Coordinates of all heavy atoms in Angstrom, one line a residue:
M225 N 5.5 8.6 -8.7 CA 6.2 8.1 -9.9 C 7.6 7.8 -9.5 O 8.2 8.4 -8.6 CB 6.3 9.2 -11.0 CG 5.0 9.5 -11.7 SD 5.2 10.6 -13.1 CE 5.2 12.1 -12.3
A226 N 8.2 6.8 -10.2 CA 9.6 6.4 -10.0 C 10.1 5.9 -11.4 O 9.4 5.1 -12.1 CB 9.7 5.3 -9.0
L227 N 11.3 6.3 -11.7 CA 12.0 5.9 -12.9 C 13.0 4.8 -12.6 O 13.8 4.9 -11.6 CB 12.7 7.1 -13.5 CG 13.3 6.9 -14.9 CD1 12.2 6.6 -15.9 CD2 14.1 8.1 -15.3
A228 N 12.9 3.7 -13.3 CA 13.8 2.5 -13.1 C 15.2 2.9 -13.5 O 15.4 3.9 -14.3 CB 13.3 1.4 -13.9
P229 N 16.2 2.2 -13.0 CA 17.6 2.5 -13.4 C 17.9 2.5 -14.9 O 18.9 3.1 -15.3 CB 18.4 1.4 -12.7 CG 17.5 1.0 -11.6 CD 16.1 1.1 -12.1
D230 N 17.1 1.8 -15.7 CA 17.3 1.8 -17.1 C 17.0 3.1 -17.8 O 17.3 3.3 -19.0 CB 16.5 0.6 -17.8 CG 15.0 0.8 -17.7 OD1 14.5 1.9 -17.3 OD2 14.3 -0.2 -18.1
G231 N 16.4 4.0 -17.1 CA 16.1 5.3 -17.6 C 14.9 5.4 -18.6 O 14.6 6.5 -19.1
R232 N 14.3 4.3 -18.8 CA 13.2 4.3 -19.7 C 11.9 3.7 -19.2 O 10.8 3.9 -19.8 CB 13.6 3.6 -21.0 CG 13.8 2.1 -20.9 CD 14.2 1.5 -22.2 NE 13.1 1.1 -23.0 CZ 13.2 0.5 -24.2 NH1 14.3 0.4 -24.7 NH2 12.1 0.2 -24.9
T233 N 11.9 3.0 -18.1 CA 10.7 2.4 -17.5 C 10.2 3.3 -16.3 O 11.0 3.5 -15.4 CB 11.0 1.0 -17.0 OG1 11.6 0.3 -18.1 CG2 9.7 0.3 -16.6
L234 N 9.0 3.8 -16.5 CA 8.4 4.7 -15.5 C 7.3 4.0 -14.8 O 6.4 3.4 -15.5 CB 7.9 6.0 -16.1 CG 7.3 7.0 -15.2 CD1 8.4 7.6 -14.3 CD2 6.7 8.1 -16.0
F235 N 7.2 4.0 -13.5 CA 6.2 3.4 -12.7 C 5.3 4.5 -12.1 O 5.9 5.4 -11.5 CB 6.8 2.5 -11.5 CG 7.5 1.4 -12.1 CD1 8.9 1.5 -12.4 CD2 7.0 0.1 -12.2 CE1 9.6 0.5 -12.9 CE2 7.7 -0.9 -12.7 CZ 9.0 -0.8 -13.1
V236 N 4.0 4.4 -12.2 CA 3.1 5.4 -11.8 C 1.9 4.8 -11.0 O 1.3 3.9 -11.6 CB 2.5 6.3 -12.9 CG1 1.6 7.3 -12.4 CG2 3.6 6.9 -13.8
T237 N 1.7 5.2 -9.8 CA 0.6 4.7 -9.0 C -0.8 5.2 -9.5 O -0.8 6.4 -10.0 CB 0.7 5.0 -7.5 OG1 0.8 6.4 -7.3 CG2 2.0 4.3 -7.0
H238 N -1.8 4.4 -9.4 CA -3.2 4.9 -9.7 C -4.0 4.8 -8.4 O -4.5 3.7 -8.0 CB -3.8 4.0 -10.8 CG -5.1 4.5 -11.2 ND1 -6.1 3.6 -11.7 CD2 -5.7 5.7 -11.2 CE1 -7.2 4.3 -12.0 NE2 -7.0 5.5 -11.7
F239 N -4.0 5.9 -7.7 CA -4.6 6.0 -6.3 C -6.0 5.4 -6.3 O -6.3 4.6 -5.4 CB -4.6 7.4 -5.8 CG -5.0 7.6 -4.4 CD1 -4.1 7.4 -3.4 CD2 -6.3 8.0 -4.1 CE1 -4.5 7.5 -2.1 CE2 -6.7 8.2 -2.8 CZ -5.8 8.0 -1.8
R240 N -6.9 5.9 -7.1 CA -8.3 5.5 -7.0 C -8.5 4.1 -7.6 O -9.4 3.4 -7.3 CB -9.2 6.5 -7.7 CG -9.3 7.8 -7.1 CD -10.2 7.8 -6.0 NE -10.3 9.2 -5.4 CZ -10.6 9.4 -4.2 NH1 -10.8 8.5 -3.3 NH2 -10.7 10.7 -3.8
G241 N -7.6 3.7 -8.5 CA -7.8 2.4 -9.2 C -7.0 1.3 -8.5 O -7.1 0.1 -9.0
N242 N -6.3 1.6 -7.5 CA -5.6 0.6 -6.7 C -4.6 -0.2 -7.5 O -4.4 -1.4 -7.3 CB -6.5 -0.3 -5.9 CG -7.4 0.4 -5.0 OD1 -7.0 1.4 -4.4 ND2 -8.6 -0.1 -4.8
G243 N -3.9 0.4 -8.5 CA -3.0 -0.3 -9.3 C -1.8 0.5 -9.6 O -1.5 1.5 -9.0
L244 N -0.9 -0.1 -10.5 CA 0.4 0.5 -10.8 C 0.5 0.4 -12.3 O 0.4 -0.7 -12.9 CB 1.5 -0.3 -10.1 CG 2.9 0.2 -10.3 CD1 3.1 1.5 -9.6 CD2 3.9 -0.8 -9.8
Y245 N 0.7 1.6 -12.9 CA 1.0 1.6 -14.4 C 2.5 1.5 -14.6 O 3.3 2.1 -13.8 CB 0.5 3.0 -15.0 CG -1.0 3.1 -15.1 CD1 -1.7 3.8 -14.2 CD2 -1.7 2.5 -16.2 CE1 -3.1 4.0 -14.3 CE2 -3.0 2.6 -16.3 CZ -3.7 3.3 -15.4 OH -5.1 3.5 -15.5
V246 N 2.8 0.9 -15.7 CA 4.2 0.8 -16.1 C 4.3 1.4 -17.6 O 3.6 0.9 -18.4 CB 4.8 -0.6 -16.1 CG1 6.3 -0.6 -16.5 CG2 4.5 -1.3 -14.7
F247 N 5.2 2.4 -17.8 CA 5.3 3.0 -19.1 C 6.7 2.8 -19.6 O 7.7 2.8 -18.8 CB 5.1 4.5 -19.0 CG 3.7 4.9 -18.7 CD1 3.3 5.0 -17.3 CD2 2.7 5.1 -19.7 CE1 2.0 5.4 -17.0 CE2 1.4 5.4 -19.3 CZ 1.0 5.6 -18.0
D248 N 6.9 2.6 -20.9 CA 8.2 2.5 -21.6 C 8.3 3.9 -22.3 O 7.6 4.2 -23.3 CB 8.2 1.4 -22.6 CG 9.6 1.2 -23.2 OD1 10.4 2.2 -23.2 OD2 9.9 0.1 -23.6
L249 N 9.2 4.7 -21.8 CA 9.4 6.1 -22.3 C 10.1 6.1 -23.6 O 10.1 7.1 -24.3 CB 10.1 6.9 -21.3 CG 9.4 7.1 -19.9 CD1 10.3 7.9 -19.0 CD2 8.0 7.6 -20.1
A250 N 10.7 5.0 -24.1 CA 11.3 4.9 -25.3 C 10.4 4.6 -26.5 O 10.8 4.7 -27.7 CB 12.4 3.9 -25.3
L251 N 9.1 4.3 -26.2 CA 8.2 4.0 -27.2 C 7.3 5.2 -27.5 O 6.9 5.9 -26.6 CB 7.2 2.8 -26.8 CG 7.9 1.5 -26.5 CD1 6.9 0.5 -26.0 CD2 8.6 1.0 -27.7
G252 N 7.0 5.5 -28.8 CA 6.2 6.6 -29.1 C 6.8 7.9 -28.8 O 7.9 8.0 -28.3
A253 N 6.1 9.0 -29.1 CA 6.6 10.3 -28.8 C 6.7 10.7 -27.3 O 7.6 11.4 -26.9 CB 5.7 11.4 -29.5
L254 N 5.7 10.2 -26.5 CA 5.7 10.5 -25.1 C 5.8 9.2 -24.2 O 5.5 9.3 -23.0 CB 4.4 11.3 -24.8 CG 4.3 12.6 -25.5 CD1 2.9 13.2 -25.3 CD2 5.4 13.6 -25.1
G255 N 6.1 8.1 -24.8 CA 6.1 6.8 -24.1 C 4.8 6.1 -24.2 O 3.8 6.8 -24.6
E256 N 4.7 4.9 -23.9 CA 3.5 4.1 -24.0 C 3.4 3.2 -22.7 O 4.3 2.7 -22.2 CB 3.5 3.2 -25.2 CG 3.4 3.9 -26.5 CD 3.3 3.0 -27.7 OE1 3.1 1.8 -27.5 OE2 3.5 3.5 -28.8
E257 N 2.1 3.0 -22.3 CA 1.8 2.1 -21.3 C 2.1 0.7 -21.7 O 1.6 0.2 -22.8 CB 0.3 2.2 -20.8 CG -0.1 1.3 -19.8 CD -1.5 1.3 -19.5 OE1 -2.2 2.3 -19.7 OE2 -2.0 0.3 -19.0
I258 N 2.9 -0.1 -21.0 CA 3.2 -1.4 -21.4 C 2.6 -2.5 -20.4 O 2.6 -3.6 -20.7 CB 4.8 -1.6 -21.5 CG1 5.5 -1.3 -20.2 CG2 5.3 -0.9 -22.7 CD1 6.9 -1.7 -20.2
R259 N 2.2 -2.0 -19.3 CA 1.6 -2.9 -18.3 C 0.8 -2.2 -17.3 O 1.1 -1.0 -16.9 CB 2.7 -3.7 -17.6 CG 2.2 -4.7 -16.6 CD 3.3 -5.6 -16.2 NE 3.9 -6.1 -17.4 CZ 4.5 -7.3 -17.6 NH1 4.5 -8.1 -16.6 NH2 5.0 -7.7 -18.7
Y260 N -0.3 -2.8 -16.8 CA -1.0 -2.3 -15.7 C -1.1 -3.4 -14.6 O -1.5 -4.5 -15.0 CB -2.4 -1.8 -16.1 CG -3.2 -1.3 -14.9 CD1 -2.9 -0.1 -14.3 CD2 -4.3 -2.1 -14.4 CE1 -3.7 0.3 -13.2 CE2 -5.0 -1.7 -13.3 CZ -4.7 -0.4 -12.7 OH -5.4 0.0 -11.7
I261 N -0.7 -3.2 -13.4 CA -0.7 -4.2 -12.4 C -1.9 -3.8 -11.4 O -1.8 -2.8 -10.7 CB 0.6 -4.2 -11.6 CG1 1.7 -4.5 -12.5 CG2 0.5 -5.3 -10.5 CD1 3.1 -4.3 -11.9
P262 N -3.0 -4.5 -11.5 CA -4.2 -4.2 -10.7 C -4.0 -4.7 -9.2 O -3.1 -5.6 -9.0 CB -5.3 -5.0 -11.4 CG -4.7 -6.1 -12.0 CD -3.3 -5.7 -12.4
N263 N -4.8 -4.2 -8.4 CA -4.9 -4.7 -7.0 C -3.6 -4.7 -6.3 O -3.2 -5.7 -5.6 CB -5.5 -6.1 -6.9 CG -6.9 -6.2 -7.7 OD1 -7.7 -5.3 -7.5 ND2 -7.1 -7.2 -8.5
I264 N -2.8 -3.7 -6.4 CA -1.5 -3.6 -5.8 C -1.6 -3.3 -4.3 O -0.8 -3.5 -3.5 CB -0.6 -2.5 -6.5 CG1 0.8 -2.7 -6.2 CG2 -1.0 -1.1 -6.2 CD1 1.4 -3.8 -7.0
G265 N -2.8 -2.8 -3.9 CA -3.1 -2.4 -2.6 C -4.1 -1.3 -2.6 O -4.4 -0.7 -3.6
E266 N -4.7 -0.9 -1.4 CA -5.7 0.1 -1.3 C -5.0 1.5 -1.4 O -4.2 1.8 -0.6 CB -6.5 0.0 -0.1 CG -7.6 0.9 0.0 CD -8.5 0.7 1.3 OE1 -8.4 -0.4 1.8 OE2 -9.2 1.6 1.6
N267 N -5.4 2.3 -2.4 CA -5.0 3.7 -2.5 C -3.4 3.8 -2.6 O -2.9 4.5 -1.8 CB -5.6 4.5 -1.4 CG -7.1 4.5 -1.4 OD1 -7.7 4.5 -2.4 ND2 -7.6 4.4 -0.2
P268 N -2.8 3.2 -3.5 CA -1.3 3.4 -3.6 C -1.0 4.8 -4.0 O -1.6 5.4 -4.8 CB -0.9 2.4 -4.8 CG -2.2 2.3 -5.6 CD -3.3 2.4 -4.7
H269 N 0.0 5.4 -3.3 CA 0.3 6.8 -3.5 C 1.8 7.1 -3.7 O 2.1 8.2 -4.1 CB -0.3 7.6 -2.3 CG 0.2 7.3 -1.0 ND1 1.3 8.0 -0.4 CD2 -0.1 6.3 -0.1 CE1 1.5 7.5 0.8 NE2 0.8 6.5 1.0
V270 N 2.6 6.2 -3.3 CA 4.1 6.4 -3.5 C 4.7 5.1 -4.1 O 4.4 4.0 -3.6 CB 4.8 6.8 -2.2 CG1 6.3 7.0 -2.4 CG2 4.2 8.1 -1.7
V271 N 5.6 5.3 -5.0 CA 6.3 4.1 -5.5 C 7.8 4.5 -5.6 O 8.1 5.6 -6.0 CB 5.8 3.6 -6.9 CG1 5.9 4.7 -8.0 CG2 6.6 2.4 -7.4
R272 N 8.7 3.6 -5.2 CA 10.1 3.8 -5.2 C 10.8 2.5 -5.7 O 10.2 1.4 -5.6 CB 10.7 4.2 -3.9 CG 10.2 5.5 -3.3 CD 10.7 6.7 -4.1 NE 10.3 7.9 -3.6 CZ 9.3 8.7 -4.1 NH1 8.6 8.2 -5.1 NH2 9.0 9.8 -3.5
I273 N 11.9 2.7 -6.4 CA 12.7 1.6 -6.9 C 13.8 1.2 -5.9 O 14.5 2.1 -5.4 CB 13.3 1.9 -8.3 CG1 12.2 2.4 -9.2 CG2 14.0 0.7 -8.8 CD1 11.0 1.4 -9.4
S274 N 14.0 -0.1 -5.6 CA 15.0 -0.5 -4.7 C 16.4 -0.1 -5.3 O 16.5 0.0 -6.5 CB 15.0 -2.0 -4.5 OG 15.2 -2.7 -5.6
P275 N 17.4 0.1 -4.4 CA 18.7 0.5 -4.9 C 19.3 -0.5 -5.9 O 20.0 0.0 -6.8 CB 19.6 0.5 -3.6 CG 18.6 0.8 -2.5 CD 17.3 0.0 -3.0
D276 N 19.0 -1.7 -5.8 CA 19.5 -2.7 -6.8 C 18.7 -2.7 -8.1 O 19.1 -3.4 -9.1 CB 19.7 -4.1 -6.2 CG 18.3 -4.7 -5.8 OD1 17.3 -4.1 -6.0 OD2 18.4 -5.7 -5.1
G277 N 17.6 -2.0 -8.2 CA 16.8 -1.9 -9.4 C 15.9 -3.2 -9.6 O 15.3 -3.3 -10.7
K278 N 15.8 -4.1 -8.6 CA 15.1 -5.3 -8.8 C 13.6 -5.2 -8.4 O 12.8 -6.1 -8.8 CB 15.8 -6.4 -8.1 CG 17.1 -6.8 -8.7 CD 17.7 -8.0 -7.9 CE 19.1 -8.3 -8.5 NZ 19.7 -9.5 -7.9
Y279 N 13.3 -4.3 -7.6 CA 11.9 -4.2 -7.0 C 11.4 -2.8 -7.0 O 12.1 -1.8 -6.9 CB 12.0 -4.7 -5.5 CG 12.5 -6.1 -5.4 CD1 13.8 -6.3 -5.0 CD2 11.7 -7.2 -5.6 CE1 14.4 -7.5 -4.9 CE2 12.2 -8.5 -5.5 CZ 13.6 -8.6 -5.1 OH 14.1 -9.9 -5.0
A280 N 10.1 -2.7 -7.2 CA 9.3 -1.5 -7.0 C 8.6 -1.7 -5.7 O 7.9 -2.7 -5.4 CB 8.3 -1.3 -8.1
V281 N 8.7 -0.7 -4.8 CA 8.0 -0.7 -3.5 C 6.9 0.3 -3.5 O 7.2 1.5 -3.8 CB 9.0 -0.5 -2.4 CG1 8.3 -0.6 -1.0 CG2 10.2 -1.5 -2.4
V282 N 5.7 -0.1 -3.3 CA 4.5 0.8 -3.3 C 3.9 0.9 -1.9 O 3.6 0.0 -1.3 CB 3.5 0.2 -4.3 CG1 2.3 1.1 -4.4 CG2 4.1 -0.1 -5.7
A283 N 3.8 2.2 -1.5 CA 3.1 2.5 -0.3 C 1.6 2.7 -0.5 O 1.2 3.4 -1.4 CB 3.7 3.8 0.3
N284 N 0.9 2.0 0.3 CA -0.6 2.1 0.2 C -1.2 2.7 1.5 O -0.7 2.5 2.6 CB -1.2 0.7 0.1 CG -0.7 0.0 -1.1 OD1 -1.0 0.4 -2.2 ND2 0.1 -1.1 -1.0
F285 N -2.2 3.5 1.2 CA -3.0 4.2 2.3 C -4.2 3.4 2.5 O -5.1 3.3 1.6 CB -3.3 5.6 1.9 CG -4.3 6.3 2.8 CD1 -3.9 6.8 4.0 CD2 -5.6 6.4 2.3 CE1 -4.8 7.5 4.8 CE2 -6.5 7.1 3.1 CZ -6.1 7.6 4.3
V286 N -4.4 2.8 3.7 CA -5.6 1.9 3.9 C -6.5 2.5 5.0 O -6.0 3.0 6.0 CB -5.1 0.5 4.4 CG1 -6.3 -0.4 4.6 CG2 -4.1 -0.1 3.4
G287 N -7.7 2.6 4.7 CA -8.7 3.0 5.7 C -9.1 4.5 5.5 O -9.0 5.1 4.4
Q288 N -9.6 5.1 6.6 CA -10.1 6.4 6.5 C -9.2 7.3 7.4 O -8.5 6.9 8.3 CB -11.5 6.5 7.1 CG -12.5 5.6 6.2 CD -13.9 5.6 6.9 OE1 -14.1 6.2 8.0 NE2 -14.8 5.0 6.2
I289 N -9.3 8.6 7.1 CA -8.6 9.6 8.0 C -9.5 9.9 9.2 O -10.7 10.3 9.0 CB -8.3 10.9 7.2 CG1 -7.3 10.6 6.1 CG2 -7.7 11.9 8.2 CD1 -7.0 11.7 5.2
I290 N -8.9 9.7 10.4 CA -9.7 9.9 11.6 C -8.8 10.9 12.4 O -7.7 10.5 12.8 CB -9.9 8.6 12.4 CG1 -10.8 7.7 11.5 CG2 -10.6 8.9 13.7 CD1 -10.9 6.3 12.1
D291 N -9.3 12.1 12.7 CA -8.6 13.1 13.4 C -7.2 13.3 12.8 O -6.2 13.3 13.5 CB -8.4 12.7 14.9 CG -9.8 12.6 15.6 OD1 -10.7 13.4 15.2 OD2 -9.9 11.8 16.5
E292 N -7.1 13.5 11.5 CA -5.9 13.7 10.8 C -4.8 12.6 10.9 O -3.7 12.8 10.7 CB -5.3 15.0 11.2 CG -6.2 16.2 10.9 CD -5.5 17.5 11.3 OE1 -4.4 17.6 11.7 OE2 -6.3 18.5 11.3
R293 N -5.3 11.4 11.2 CA -4.4 10.2 11.2 C -4.9 9.1 10.3 O -6.1 9.0 10.3 CB -4.2 9.7 12.7 CG -3.5 10.7 13.6 CD -3.5 10.2 15.0 NE -4.9 10.3 15.5 CZ -5.4 9.6 16.4 NH1 -4.7 8.6 17.0 NH2 -6.6 9.8 16.8
T294 N -4.1 8.4 9.7 CA -4.5 7.2 9.0 C -4.7 6.0 9.9 O -4.1 5.9 10.9 CB -3.5 6.8 7.8 OG1 -2.3 6.5 8.4 CG2 -3.4 8.0 6.8
T295 N -5.6 5.2 9.5 CA -5.9 4.0 10.3 C -4.8 2.9 10.1 O -4.4 2.2 11.1 CB -7.2 3.4 10.0 OG1 -7.3 3.1 8.7 CG2 -8.3 4.3 10.4
S296 N -4.2 2.8 8.9 CA -3.1 1.9 8.7 C -2.6 2.1 7.3 O -3.1 2.8 6.5 CB -3.6 0.4 8.9 OG -4.5 0.1 7.9
S297 N -1.5 1.4 7.0 CA -0.9 1.5 5.7 C -0.2 0.1 5.5 O 0.1 -0.6 6.4 CB 0.1 2.6 5.6 OG 1.1 2.5 6.6
T298 N 0.1 -0.1 4.2 CA 0.8 -1.3 3.8 C 1.9 -1.0 2.7 O 1.9 0.1 2.1 CB -0.1 -2.4 3.2 OG1 -0.7 -1.9 2.0 CG2 -1.2 -2.8 4.2
L299 N 2.8 -1.9 2.5 CA 3.7 -1.9 1.4 C 3.5 -3.1 0.5 O 3.3 -4.2 1.0 CB 5.2 -1.9 2.0 CG 5.7 -0.7 2.7 CD1 7.1 -0.9 3.2 CD2 5.6 0.6 1.9
A300 N 3.6 -2.8 -0.8 CA 3.6 -3.9 -1.8 C 4.9 -3.9 -2.5 O 5.4 -2.9 -2.8 CB 2.5 -3.7 -2.8
I301 N 5.5 -5.1 -2.6 CA 6.8 -5.2 -3.3 C 6.5 -6.0 -4.6 O 6.0 -7.1 -4.6 CB 7.8 -5.9 -2.4 CG1 7.9 -5.1 -1.1 CG2 9.1 -6.1 -3.1 CD1 8.8 -5.8 -0.1
V302 N 7.0 -5.3 -5.7 CA 6.8 -5.9 -7.0 C 8.2 -6.2 -7.6 O 9.0 -5.4 -7.7 CB 6.1 -4.9 -8.0 CG1 5.9 -5.4 -9.3 CG2 4.7 -4.4 -7.3
D303 N 8.3 -7.5 -8.1 CA 9.6 -7.9 -8.7 C 9.6 -7.3 -10.1 O 8.8 -7.7 -10.9 CB 9.6 -9.4 -8.7 CG 10.9 -10.0 -9.3 OD1 11.8 -9.2 -9.8 OD2 11.1 -11.2 -9.2
I304 N 10.6 -6.4 -10.4 CA 10.6 -5.8 -11.7 C 11.9 -6.3 -12.5 O 12.1 -5.8 -13.6 CB 10.6 -4.3 -11.7 CG1 11.7 -3.7 -10.8 CG2 9.2 -3.8 -11.1 CD1 11.8 -2.2 -10.9
D305 N 12.6 -7.2 -11.9 CA 13.8 -7.7 -12.5 C 13.4 -8.6 -13.7 O 12.7 -9.6 -13.5 CB 14.6 -8.5 -11.5 CG 16.0 -9.0 -12.1 OD1 16.3 -8.6 -13.2 OD2 16.7 -9.7 -11.4
P306 N 13.8 -8.3 -15.0 CA 13.4 -9.1 -16.1 C 13.9 -10.5 -16.1 O 13.3 -11.4 -16.8 CB 13.9 -8.3 -17.3 CG 15.0 -7.5 -16.8 CD 14.7 -7.2 -15.3
T307 N 14.9 -10.8 -15.3 CA 15.4 -12.2 -15.2 C 14.6 -13.0 -14.1 O 14.8 -14.1 -13.9 CB 16.9 -12.2 -15.0 OG1 17.2 -11.6 -13.7 CG2 17.6 -11.6 -16.1

């Protein structure tokens, strides 16, 4: 999970669904899902917001574990700047 600099937009990875949920915490009692970004990469497991608040960077785990090592990984960069 990662909270955007606005303090109300929360990004949550969906490991098995290969997507990224976006919640607006100012809506409803506990926040509401406002967007789902599918196919962000295989098994996304970490999301961080860039220092300037313009991008969400998602780390993906690709492949199988072989002898306690991953075969590869990728990064997905999502433009979250509303302008």
Side-chain angles (χ1 to χ4, degrees):
M225 288 188 279
L227 188 62
D230 64 10
R232 68 182 272 176
T233 308
L234 181 67
F235 297 86
V236 181
T237 59
H238 185 206
F239 185 81
R240 296 277 184 210
N242 300 330
L244 183 67
Y245 286 103
V246 184
F247 293 91
D248 186 335
L249 300 179
L251 298 176
L254 301 172
E256 290 184 16
E257 178 186 336
I258 58 172
R259 184 166 308 213
Y260 178 72
I261 304 169
N263 306 316
I264 200 76
E266 186 177 340
N267 303 319
H269 61 98
V270 177
V271 60
R272 295 292 182 259
I273 306 303
S274 64
D276 61 7
K278 293 182 179 183
Y279 303 98
V281 180
V282 181
N284 299 294
F285 167 80
V286 181
Q288 300 176 355
I289 296 177
I290 300 171
D291 297 328
E292 299 182 9
R293 293 175 287 154
T294 59
T295 56
S296 65
S297 59
T298 63
L299 290 176
I301 300 174
V302 180
D303 185 351
I304 60 173
D305 186 3
T307 60

